[in-house]
Amino acid sequence: MLTQTTIQLLAASLAMAPLATARDVPANVRNFYKTVVGQGQCPNRLATGFTAKDGGPSNFSYCQDSSKVIYIQGTNGRLADMDIDCDGRQGGPADDKRCGKSTDTQSITSFADTVRGYNKGIQDLDANIHPYVVFGNSGSKAGYKTFDPKAHGIQPLSVMAVVCGDKLIYGIWGDENGDDGPRAMVGEASISLATACYGKSITGNNGHDETDVLYIAFPGPEAVPGANGANWAATSYDAFEKSIQAKGDQLIQRLGGSGGGGSPTTPTCSWTGHCLGDKCKNENDCDQDWTCKNGVCA
């Protein structure tokens, strides 16, 4: 039988235990966020002309900083919002019916084939379990704005960082924006990720409207957990997010204290993969994990 003292100690221990849904934003990531907001709009736009809200301005861009990470920003310091995505597996073990309010749910995500290929007993991502980000824009309509993150080194199912509600959440690049609307949209995440940010008031049709969410994508194969680097068959958001925490903690070290605003500069090769794709004259110009082939680090 537990004594009152034991119960109090257990309660205190649980209160102090870190929760996957409430991770504090590290200083370097907070500085990156502040610098991005403070710059007003990004100086190095890879693609622009996107919108965060129906009827809103089409002045949001995919941006790249000096460390090659990619993020979304509008003008006047605005970032992205967070609409809710419920695509993928339906009726799974974590489904609490909040996705049922969505009017545009699709039964498949962009990288379902890769998920199946991992052979972990699941056929696709589950929005109620996997904290995925909808990133990139595809479409074939005439004049429709598109952006392919893969062209800039971002790989499917790679780990991403999301700063939302004064929290840092790790997710994966799990889906893309299609051309099913009149204009190309940005700023969307799975309901499990959005719930970790803003609580259970989130539903399939009720997201976060403020443009203060920072989505950060990391280039290079080292950002991909692969079949055995994440708990793809998890039955809860907490279990999956915990499985990619170490990878996320590693990746955010790329975000220097000076933030991410400026144009690309000559890399210092201070972290693994920094020189991937950069020009080189010899092996000394590349990080130790890359070799100089035909004038580029690969």
Side-chain angles (χ1 to χ4, degrees), residues 11-66:
S13 176
L14 289 172
M16 291 186 293
L19 298 176
T21 54
R23 185 180 297 110
D24 290 337
V25 183
N28 69 314
V29 180
R30 189 176 296 278
N31 288 339
F32 183 91
Y33 183 100
K34 289 180 178 179
T35 300
V36 168
V37 171
Q39 72 191 1
Q41 62 184 17
C42 60
N44 184 35
R45 294 184 287 275
L46 301 176
T48 193
F50 303 91
T51 184
K53 300 180 181 181
D54 291 329
S58 296
N59 57 10
F60 286 78
S61 305
Y62 287 91
C63 310
Q64 188 175 57
D65 91 320
S66 58

Side-chain angles (χ1 to χ4, degrees), residues 39-240:
Q39 72 191 1
Q41 62 184 17
C42 60
N44 184 35
R45 294 184 287 275
L46 301 176
T48 193
F50 303 91
T51 184
K53 300 180 181 181
D54 291 329
S58 296
N59 57 10
F60 286 78
S61 305
Y62 287 91
C63 310
Q64 188 175 57
D65 91 320
S66 58
S67 67
K68 304 295 179 68
V69 303
I70 297 176
Y71 59 97
I72 299 170
Q73 185 169 25
T75 59
N76 299 316
R78 289 176 297 181
L79 302 174
D81 62 348
M82 188 175 285
D83 297 327
I84 307 306
D85 193 275
C86 290
D87 294 353
R89 179 188 183 186
Q90 305 295 310
D95 187 358
D96 60 5
K97 309 305 179 184
R98 284 182 295 133
C99 262
K101 298 181 181 296
S102 176
T103 57
D104 61 352
T105 297
Q106 300 181 40
S107 60
I108 191 170
T109 63
S110 295
F111 310 124
D113 288 346
T114 304
V115 174
R116 283 195 295 274
Y118 284 166
N119 294 318
K120 297 301 180 182
I122 61 173
Q123 300 300 304
D124 200 355
L125 298 177
D126 186 328
N128 295 286
I129 294 173
H130 302 103
Y132 64 75
V133 177
V134 183
F135 202 71
N137 294 75
S138 61
S140 57
K141 293 181 180 177
Y144 206 81
K145 296 291 183 181
T146 61
F147 176 72
D148 183 6
K150 295 190 294 295
H152 300 275
I154 310 300
Q155 298 193 17
L157 303 180
S158 57
V159 171
M160 294 183 63
V162 182
V163 182
C164 55
D166 203 31
K167 303 171 187 174
L168 173 65
I169 306 293
Y170 294 131
I172 54 170
W173 178 29
D175 208 357
E176 300 168 291
N177 297 285
D179 59 358
D180 51 347
R183 291 188 296 169
M185 304 287 289
V186 293
E188 188 174 5
S190 69
I191 192 168
S192 61
L193 195 158
T195 300
C197 293
Y198 302 110
K200 288 197 172 182
S201 62
I202 294 293
T203 68
N205 271 347
N206 179 42
H208 176 76
D209 290 334
E210 298 299 318
T211 48
D212 57 2
V213 181
L214 181 61
Y215 301 94
I216 306 170
F218 302 93
E222 67 276 11
V224 183
N228 299 316
N231 184 8
W232 299 103
T235 58
S236 70
Y237 158 82
D238 283 324
F240 181 81

Side-chain angles (χ1 to χ4, degrees), residues 264-288:
T265 60
T266 302
T268 62
C269 302
S270 58
W271 46 261
T272 302
H274 195 124
C275 289
L276 177 63
D278 284 322
K279 294 181 180 179
C280 60
K281 295 180 180 179
N282 54 55
E283 299 301 324
N284 294 328
D285 291 336
C286 299
D287 186 82
Q288 61 181 355

Side-chain angles (χ1 to χ4, degrees), residues 232-250:
W232 299 103
T235 58
S236 70
Y237 158 82
D238 283 324
F240 181 81
E241 208 265 2
K242 183 178 180 180
S243 76
I244 60 173
Q245 180 177 341
K247 176 70 70 176
D249 287 345
Q250 176 189 19

